[in-house]
Amino acid sequence: MANAVRFYEPGSPEVLRYEEVEVGDPGPGQVRIRHAAVGLNFADTYFRNGTYPIPLPNGIGVEAAGYVEALGAGVTNVSVGDRVTYTGFTNTLGAYSNERLVPAAPLIRLPDAIPFETAAAMTMRGLTAAYLMRRIYPFKAGESILLHAAAGGVGLIVSQWAKLLGLKVIGTVSTDAKAIVARAHGCDHIINYSYEDVAQRVRELTSGEGVSVVIDSVGKTTFMSSLDSLKRRGLLICVGTASGTITPFDPQILAMKGSLFVTRPALADYIADPSEKAELASEIFGHVTAGRISIEINQRYALQDAVQAHRDLESRKTTGSSVFVI
């Protein structure tokens, strides 16, 4: 028997249950995969608490890495024994497990140079960083960006990638300890929003002009300060709602604050095309294998400890990436 984390009703971390499950043989278009490591992402909490509604009972988690054990009919993109990683949305839900069936389509062959733990820590975050850096805005060397949650898993990758592009990175954090981590990964300036006014400090650091782009994964509590940190015709990229969903607003405010732009992209729309997904994956894998971008795994858990892992994640105790080690 395999083991998996499942839940039967939306709620706090305590709804998560570690159970024995039957896996069975893969059907058409599926593979059976044995996990070596599973990614822990803030998006997982949205499934658990009902922000992202799904049929229940259900598994949880959308990202993992391991070996292909068996193929269903019609699978041609991977072979038995391949090292693979994957991320997705509802099509890969159920990653918190040591063995499972999963559609073959989302699987990405993993370069030998990248360990399973690193893959589980970086596939979703790395692909997110890739589309943020390469698909949303035509960054030019010398431009300034504001990066919220700069010590988080995506933040650490984005800040390193931004430096490769020659950008000036202003990062926000909630503690002085996280400031040290963010600075070590490329942030030129750090703003601790626990006691500093973000927009005011951004203006001071940019000679009153503001930044070209804000990357905001926090949401509700940072939305207005993000707008106030932008230069004229700047772009706010809303990529998460860790503090809650952004309150509805009158678009006229964008004109009043400098003809600003706001976008709310989703990873699923940047990896839906297999060729684009392969291109983004190749780019992030290349940076990691070459040592240009490092992946920080600062928390490791057993699957049995999923409740504690979610508590730590939601209380902002974590930095960098977190994984479940099988």
Side-chain angles (χ1 to χ4, degrees), residues 1-153:
M1 293 290 287
N3 296 102
V5 176
R6 294 173 59 79
F7 66 115
Y8 293 75
E9 60 183 357
S12 66
E14 286 71 25
V15 301
L16 299 176
R17 302 184 190 179
Y18 181 71
E19 302 178 335
E20 286 191 345
V21 295
E22 188 81 33
V23 175
D25 297 322
Q30 291 184 320
V31 306
R32 187 172 71 243
I33 182 172
R34 179 167 294 279
H35 290 154
V38 175
L40 171 63
N41 296 286
F42 204 90
D44 300 344
T45 69
Y46 299 154
F47 287 106
R48 191 210 71 228
N49 65 27
T51 300
Y52 295 160
I54 55 173
L56 296 176
N58 215 320
I60 190 168
V62 297
E63 174 182 38
Y67 290 102
V68 175
E69 287 195 320
L71 307 179
V75 174
T76 59
N77 62 318
V78 294
S79 302
V80 172
D82 279 354
R83 302 173 74 251
V84 295
T85 185
Y86 66 85
T87 189
F89 199 63
T90 54
N91 64 328
T92 59
L93 196 63
Y96 287 17
S97 58
N98 56 11
E99 187 178 355
R100 69 172 300 197
L101 301 180
V102 68
L107 299 181
I108 303 169
R109 284 195 181 92
L110 187 61
D112 291 339
I114 297 182
F116 286 125
E117 287 189 22
T118 302
M122 68 167 280
T123 302
M124 175 177 280
R125 297 172 179 88
L127 289 172
T128 298
Y131 87 72
L132 288 173
M133 292 289 97
R134 306 297 283 172
R135 293 292 189 273
I136 303 289
Y137 179 87
F139 290 108
K140 298 177 182 178
E143 286 188 295
S144 295
I145 67 170
L146 175 65
L147 175 62
H148 286 295

Side-chain angles (χ1 to χ4, degrees), residues 178-198:
K178 289 184 177 182
I180 295 172
V181 174
R183 194 179 296 277
H185 288 79
C187 285
D188 299 285
H189 302 283
I190 301 294
I191 300 172
N192 188 325
Y193 60 78
S194 296
Y195 55 82
E196 293 183 280
D197 183 299
V198 172

